[in-house]
Amino acid sequence: MALSPAERETILQIDEEKKLWRIYSCQSRLINKISKVSEPVRVDSDGGHYFELDFNQVSFRQKSKPRVYTEDQRQKQMERIANMHMQRKLKNEGN
């Protein structure tokens, strides 16, 4: 029986003594990602997967911020791209 989105959960636990992450998840997307680096320790009948990962295998990233360009920077980028396209076009015409 499939779980509803509200029932699909992921739980992360840290074992500081053993330097180990214990992860339980019912979310197929996350299960697929973790399965690429580790085999599940156990799989429940409802599809929940249990994993144990080394402490350094799990990391969290800060959300990236979009870069804000000045008008001068934007203009220089446009010129570089136009130059690159012109050089590629000249190179292809020469062949």
Side-chain angles (χ1 to χ4, degrees), residues 72 74-85:
D72 186 46
R74 189 173 290 125
Q75 185 64 35
K76 285 180 182 178
Q77 280 182 336
M78 287 174 28
E79 289 170 7
R80 276 195 301 268
I81 292 170
N83 247 352
M84 182 183 70
H85 286 293

Side-chain angles (χ1 to χ4, degrees), residues 31-69:
I31 290 169
N32 290 335
K33 286 184 179 190
I34 297 173
S35 292
K36 291 178 182 178
V37 296
S38 177
E39 292 291 319
V41 176
R42 184 171 99 223
V43 179
D44 283 346
S45 60
D46 67 350
H49 287 59
Y50 293 84
F51 297 93
E52 288 186 355
L53 299 173
D54 290 336
F55 197 74
N56 62 353
Q57 286 182 284
V58 177
S59 65
F60 299 92
R61 294 180 286 182
Q62 187 174 14
K63 190 174 183 178
S64 60
K65 299 174 186 174
R67 185 167 177 188
V68 179
Y69 295 100

Side-chain angles (χ1 to χ4, degrees), residues 10-24 51-60:
T10 297
I11 299 170
L12 298 158
Q13 294 178 322
I14 299 174
D15 184 336
E16 295 263 351
E17 190 175 303
K18 295 181 181 179
K19 300 290 185 200
L20 193 71
W21 284 92
R22 289 194 176 94
I23 302 171
Y24 168 77
F51 297 93
E52 288 186 355
L53 299 173
D54 290 336
F55 197 74
N56 62 353
Q57 286 182 284
V58 177
S59 65
F60 299 92

